[in-house]
Amino acid sequence: MKKIVLLFASLSLLSAAVFAQSYEVYNELGSDIVRLVPRANAKVRFAGFYDEVYGRVSSSIYTAEARYRLGMDPVGEDHFNLTNVTSRLRANVWFRPASFMELVLGNDYYMAVPGSYMVVYDEYLDGGRYGKNGFGMSFIPVDFIQFGFSIPEQSGVTFKDDFNLKFNLGGNFNINNIANVGVSFLGAVGGNQTVGIYGNYIGSKDFYIGGGYTYDAKSLAVQTDYYDGNTSDHLIDVTGKFNFNVFRFGFDFEIGFQNEDRLYDKTPLYVGLLFELNPADNFLVKVDGYYKASNISDGHYNRTEIQVYPRVIVDLTSRDELGAGFEFTMVEEATVDNTYHNGFAIPVYWKHYFN
C-alpha cells in the first residue's frame, strides 16, 4: 500500500510539473566525513556520503513535492567498500478543489498545530503533527479557523471484531494574526491515544514564543540516535526565539511526568539552545545543542546526552550553498561505574538550486 501511494504521488508530481506556476528544485551532496559513534568500543571511521534531490511544483489548485535520498556507507573496517547503499523516497500531493479545502496523499507531509513547533529542534512535536502519512484533508471555513484529519497507514491491524481504526485530528484558532491556539488527537479507537493542546505568539518579527501540553507521547529526551525510551503520560513544552539585529537566540524546554511509578523515563528532561550570527546576507554562523536526561531512579538521572553543533553556512552564489561544521556528542550512562562515551562527526554539504 505504501509503495502504491508513493508511486501515485511521484507520477502526480511529474505530470503536475507541466502545468506548474512555480517550482523549486535542488540537489544536495554531503558527508559527515569521519564519524565516531558515542558507544563502547566504537572506532573512528569514514562516514560515507549522501545525495538528496528535492523537487516541488505548485499552482493555485495543487502542490506536489518529492524528495529522494541515496546514502552510501562503508562496510566493516574497509573505508572504501561503499556497498552499504540505502535509499528513501518521500513524496506527496496536495489538491485544492475549493478555496476552503485541501486534500493530501503521500508520506512525510505536514498537517500540524502551529504552536507545537520547537525552535531549536526545528520540527513540530509528534503530538502536534496530526498529518504525516497516508490520506488527509484540511478545511479553512473562515480565515481564523483551520481543522483537519488524516488516516495513516493501517499497519499491524486486521479487519476483525477488534479492528481499531487509526486516525488523527487537529484544529487551530488564529487570534488577529497575533496568536494561535490549537488542539490535536492521534491514535485509534480502543487503542493508544495522544492528545495535545498548543499555542504560540506571532505578533512580532523579533520575538516568538510557543509551547503546550501533550498527553501520552514520547519525550524529546528519549528520541535520539543512541536511545529510544518509553512514552510519558504528561509532557510540558516551551520554546522561543529572539532576534537582535544580526544576532538570534532560541531555546527549547521540555519536561515529562508519569501517573504511576515507572521504572524508566519517569521525569525525562530536554533543553535545547540556539545561537545565530548573520553579519551578511550570504554568511551565517550557527551553533545549536541540547541536553537530554532520562531513566531517572533514586532521584538521579542515569542516562544523559549532550550535543553541541557549531557550523558555518555560506551562499557562494545565488544558487549555491555550502555548509560545514563539527558535531560533538557525549553520552553518560550510570551503571556500576559511570560510563562516558564521546562521539563526533564533521558534516559538510553543497546544495545547488536549479531555479
Side-chain angles (χ1 to χ4, degrees):
M1 179 62 183
K2 183 183 295 185
K3 293 182 178 179
I4 295 175
V5 170
L6 288 177
L7 178 61
F8 174 79
S10 300
L11 293 176
S12 298
L13 173 66
L14 293 174
S15 60
V18 178
F19 306 99
Q21 295 175 351
S22 66
Y23 72 96
E24 179 184 7
V25 180
Y26 69 74
N27 184 87
E28 179 177 317
L29 176 66
S31 172
D32 284 348
I33 307 299
V34 293
R35 180 190 303 127
L36 175 64
V37 178
R39 291 176 179 155
N41 302 318
K43 296 180 180 180
V44 178
R45 57 183 297 178
F46 174 55
F49 65 90
Y50 69 87
D51 188 75
E52 180 175 282
V53 180
Y54 171 82
R56 177 186 56 80
V57 295
S58 64
S59 73
S60 59
I61 61 172
Y62 71 85
T63 297
E65 66 175 356
R67 186 189 307 269
Y68 179 76
R69 185 183 180 98
L70 176 69
M72 300 183 69
D73 298 317
V75 177
E77 300 300 323
D78 187 352
H79 300 311
F80 300 100
N81 182 11
L82 300 177
T83 57
N84 183 18
V85 179
T86 58
S87 63
R88 183 183 180 188
L89 172 64
R90 293 172 285 180
N92 55 78
V93 182
W94 293 80
F95 297 100
R96 290 177 282 274
S99 60
F100 61 88
M101 181 194 310
E102 288 185 313
L103 297 85
V104 60
L105 182 67
N107 76 338
D108 205 31
Y109 59 83
Y110 281 86
M111 295 172 62
V113 178
S116 64
Y117 177 77
M118 302 293 282
V119 171
V120 184
Y121 184 54
D122 194 23
E123 182 63 273
Y124 292 93
L125 295 169
D126 287 348
R129 188 175 175 183
Y130 58 91
K132 183 177 182 180
N133 300 310
F135 172 76
M137 292 186 69
S138 179
F139 303 90
I140 309 177
V142 291
D143 291 341
F144 54 88
I145 294 178
Q146 180 175 358
F147 61 91
F149 72 90
S150 69
I151 302 176
E153 181 183 1
Q154 305 294 309
S155 60
V157 297
T158 56
F159 290 89
K160 297 180 180 179
D161 293 338
D162 59 350
F163 172 71
N164 296 324
L165 175 66
K166 297 179 181 179
F167 66 96
N168 305 320
L169 303 171
N172 184 72
F173 181 79
N174 179 272
I175 306 171
N176 296 325
N177 292 322
I178 295 177
N180 289 295
V181 177
V183 296
S184 61
F185 171 91
L186 294 75
V189 177
N192 295 331
Q193 299 169 355
T194 298
V195 180
I197 178 169
Y198 310 96
N200 62 2
Y201 172 77
I202 55 174
S204 171
K205 64 178 182 179
D206 297 322
F207 171 70
Y208 171 87
I209 191 165
Y213 164 80
T214 310
Y215 170 75
D216 193 19
K218 278 193 176 183
S219 167
L220 298 178
V222 302
Q223 299 181 49
T224 77
D225 292 335
Y226 318 108
Y227 175 67
D228 190 13
N230 302 308
T231 60
S232 294
D233 292 322
H234 311 280
L235 291 171
I236 298 174
D237 291 89
V238 181
T239 187
K241 193 170 185 178
F242 308 88
N243 298 327
F244 305 99
N245 198 4
V246 297
F247 298 96
R248 290 187 288 272
F249 170 77
F251 74 91
D252 293 344
F253 175 83
E254 180 185 83
I255 190 167
F257 303 96
Q258 308 292 3
N259 287 331
E260 56 191 46
D261 188 16
R262 296 189 184 182
L263 179 61
Y264 298 111
D265 304 327
K266 292 190 292 187
T267 315
L269 176 67
Y270 159 81
V271 178
L273 294 176
L274 166 70
F275 173 78
E276 293 180 342
L277 173 63
N278 199 183
D281 291 340
N282 65 339
F283 186 81
L284 173 67
V285 177
K286 183 175 181 179
V287 182
D288 60 29
Y290 61 72
Y291 169 84
K292 299 180 178 182
S294 55
N295 282 17
I296 191 171
S297 62
D298 299 325
H300 300 283
Y301 289 110
N302 59 25
R303 190 187 190 285
T304 59
E305 182 177 327
I306 298 173
Q307 185 177 101
V308 180
Y309 181 19
R311 54 201 182 274
V312 175
I313 301 171
V314 181
D315 291 335
L316 300 176
T317 70
S318 61
R319 294 187 176 185
D320 294 278
E321 176 182 303
L322 180 67
F326 182 84
E327 183 181 274
F328 174 77
T329 306
M330 183 183 75
V331 174
E332 177 189 4
E333 294 178 317
T335 52
V336 177
D337 297 317
N338 285 5
T339 302
Y340 295 88
H341 303 300
N342 296 328
F344 69 88
I346 308 175
V348 297
Y349 72 88
W350 168 48
K351 182 184 292 187
H352 177 76
Y353 292 88
F354 294 92
N355 54 311

